[in-house]
Amino acid sequence: MYMPHLIAQPIITNDTVVFGLLALCLGLIFYTSNKKTGFWSKFYSIVPAVLMCYLLPAILTSTGIVSDEISNLYFMASRYLLPAALVLMTLSIDIKAISNLGSKAIIMFLTGSAGIIIGGPIAILIVSIFSPDTVGGNDFDAIWRGLSTIAGSWIGGGANQAAMLEIFQYNPEKYGGMVLIDIVVANVWMAIVLLGVGKTKRIDTWLKADTSAIETLKIKVTEFTEKITRVPTLNDYMIMLALAFTAVGIAHFFGDYMSTYLTSSFDVVSDQKSFLSFLGSSFFWMVVIATGLGIALSFTKAKNYEGAGASKIGGMFIYILVATIGMKMDLGKVLENPGLIAVGFIWISIHAGLMILVAKLIKAPYFFLAVGSQANVGGAASAPVVAAEFHPSLTSVGVLLAVLGYVVGTGGALLCAYLMEVASSL
């Protein structure tokens, strides 16, 4: 991650205090969003609660109270809590029921990837008409090199983004601007996606979508949950703690091993310019192994811990991660480079337009559009959150599609980068 030479000192630098502030923000949001009448009821009917979980930490950063640049909370949440959440949220997964959703989920995911791949070069061509300097540059200052890191992030995730930075060697002094575009545009798009969740029925009617498979999955998972629901005991919580964080330890141990072994043994993995370079990422293996362990546990009696609230604990971990992601967005810097921000919004608009067009053509439900998009643009951190906004039983669909995003991220981003290089030279 890019670190500027001079970091403005925030008011609060102690991560323990910062974590307390984030916990307070999350608590206030969930408390107020549970109000059934009055101002808060009307407010959250317009603004999704999960969006506020991003926005309040962003306000703390923007006002100089906290700073993501000197905080380790995102690292803690993404490396410790995210894999634990993936285990707990896939613990009761019904693979057969998810397979019954059909091919439309995969089609919409791949459409999202295609939208990012073609969207980058088209955005460059459009902006070059009005402001050629914005998308120009030479050598390692070339804007397309920086935009390649956004492509990696939007198709896969952080590991793919880092791979693009390594491959194309964009000027590290300017990389922070690309991170800003990535976060701002991705969060604005996520806000739009979440606003659509409240209008799902109307959107599905317009799309002429068949939602029967989704409804069947909801009913099946809900019935299973109701059947095994019980008042959790301390014993339940301790066993869930053991399952989750033992899996986290295993995921890190073998993730580091796989990363080191593959990188040292295979040139095709160690070469950052290779389509298979993502296999050298320990973060990728951590996510895959944690998800795999959760799925494996779903074939055992451990799946009954869903009745004691396994996915709810996983959801709590995810929301802590969401808050730390929100800390990365400094709202005051949004208009520092309006030209590049414009590139980002044109790019994401092409992605969105293609998703809507294909969803209309194949009559895919809005759920597949929203989660397929977020599995690309947001990855494992936000796809499960968006899926859960539709229904808690659908969380695992977001998890599985997000893992697929990591797999295709580096290859898709490389293709996008080469197309952007061509577009920049026209």
Side-chain angles (χ1 to χ4, degrees):
M1 183 61 71
Y2 164 76
M3 292 290 285
H5 290 305
L6 295 173
I7 300 173
Q9 193 77 351
I11 296 172
I12 299 174
T13 58
N14 186 327
D15 264 351
T16 309
V17 180
V18 175
F19 186 80
L21 279 176
L22 296 184
L24 176 62
C25 289
L26 292 173
L28 286 173
I29 292 164
F30 275 81
Y31 176 75
T32 53
S33 64
N34 204 40
K35 298 289 185 182
K36 304 300 181 185
T37 57
F39 167 78
W40 290 115
S41 176
K42 295 176 182 176
F43 177 81
Y44 286 107
S45 68
I46 301 171
V47 181
V50 66
L51 180 59
M52 292 302 296
C53 294
Y54 285 97
L55 193 56
L56 286 190
I59 292 172
L60 292 176
T61 296
S62 305
T63 53
I65 296 173
V66 302
S67 172
D68 169 69
E69 300 284 4
I70 62 173
S71 172
N72 288 314
L73 288 180
Y74 172 75
F75 181 86
M76 177 277 295
S78 62
R79 268 56 175 188
Y80 299 173
L81 301 185
L82 174 60
L86 295 177
V87 172
L88 292 170
M89 291 192 299
T90 53
L91 200 65
S92 61
I93 194 171
D94 190 327
I95 294 292
K96 184 179 179 181
I98 288 178
S99 66
N100 290 338
L101 290 175
S103 60
K104 289 181 180 179
I106 300 295
I107 292 172
M108 291 310 299
F109 167 80
L110 294 175
T111 298
S113 301
I116 300 299
I117 292 169
I118 66 171
I122 293 173
I124 286 177
L125 289 173
I126 292 172
V127 173
S128 66
I129 297 172
F130 307 101
S131 179
D133 291 342
T134 299
V135 292
N138 298 307
D139 298 326
F140 298 114
D141 285 338
I143 295 301
W144 67 266
R145 292 180 186 272
L147 294 177
S148 72
T149 66
I150 297 177
S153 175
W154 284 359
I155 301 175
N160 310 90
Q161 183 177 32
M164 292 303 104
L165 182 62
E166 182 70 27
I167 293 168
F168 295 107
Q169 297 291 308
Y170 183 59
N171 186 346
E173 296 291 328
K174 298 183 177 181
Y175 177 50
M178 294 299 164
V179 174
L180 178 70
I181 297 166
D182 174 8
I183 294 167
V184 170
V185 176
N187 277 282
V188 170
W189 171 236
M190 184 177 182
I192 295 169
V193 169
L194 289 169
L195 288 171
V197 174
K199 302 174 178 61
T200 301
K201 288 185 178 179
R202 287 168 58 187
I203 296 173
D204 282 341
T205 300
W206 179 75
L207 292 171
K208 298 180 180 178
D210 178 11
T211 61
S212 57
I214 295 173
E215 294 304 318
T216 300
L217 177 60
K218 284 183 187 177
I219 293 168
K220 189 171 183 180
V221 174
T222 301
E223 286 178 349
F224 171 73
T225 303
E226 289 175 351
K227 185 173 71 174
I228 62 173
T229 296
R230 61 183 187 271
V231 177
T233 64
L234 177 60
N235 187 63
D236 290 327
Y237 285 128
M238 293 308 294
I239 292 176
M240 285 188 284
L241 177 81
L243 290 173
F245 286 98
T246 299
V248 171
I250 292 171
H252 274 269
F253 180 83
F254 285 103
D256 290 341
Y257 174 79
M258 290 294 293
S259 172
T260 303
Y261 173 73
L262 292 173
T263 303
S264 60
S265 302
F266 300 96
D267 291 339
V268 72
V269 176
S270 60
D271 181 4
Q272 291 290 346
K273 296 182 179 180
S274 165
F275 276 70
L276 296 177
S277 62
F278 71 91
L279 293 173
S281 165
S282 59
F283 186 84
F284 164 75
W285 285 111
M286 179 198 75
V287 170
V288 169
I289 293 169
T291 304
L293 289 171
I295 293 172
L297 287 169
S298 73
F299 291 97
T300 71
K301 290 183 179 180
K303 74 181 299 177
N304 291 328
Y305 280 101
E306 174 60 23
S311 65
K312 292 182 178 65
I313 298 172
M316 180 174 66
F317 291 163
I318 286 287
Y319 274 100
I320 294 171
L321 175 61
V322 162
T324 65
I325 293 173
M327 279 178 61
K328 291 176 172 290
M329 187 165 63
D330 188 339
L331 301 173
K333 294 182 179 178
V334 170
L335 298 178
E336 276 190 2
N337 195 333
L340 284 178
I341 292 289
V343 172
F345 280 117
I346 293 170
W347 191 351
I348 207 74
S349 297
I350 293 167
H351 162 82
L354 187 63
M355 294 286 286
I356 294 167
L357 174 63
V358 173
K360 183 73 173 173
L361 289 174
I362 68 172
K363 299 179 180 179
Y366 179 62
F367 169 74
F368 290 154
L369 187 157
V371 177
S373 174
Q374 283 304 306
N376 279 282
V377 179
S382 60
V385 176
V386 172
E389 284 295 300
F390 286 88
H391 195 274
S393 63
L394 300 174
T395 304
S396 52
V397 180
V399 173
L400 295 178
L401 286 178
V403 170
L404 184 58
Y406 290 119
V407 173
V408 302
T410 299
L414 280 169
L415 177 57
C416 179
Y418 294 135
L419 291 175
M420 289 192 291
E421 182 180 12
V422 172
S424 296
S425 61
L426 293 177

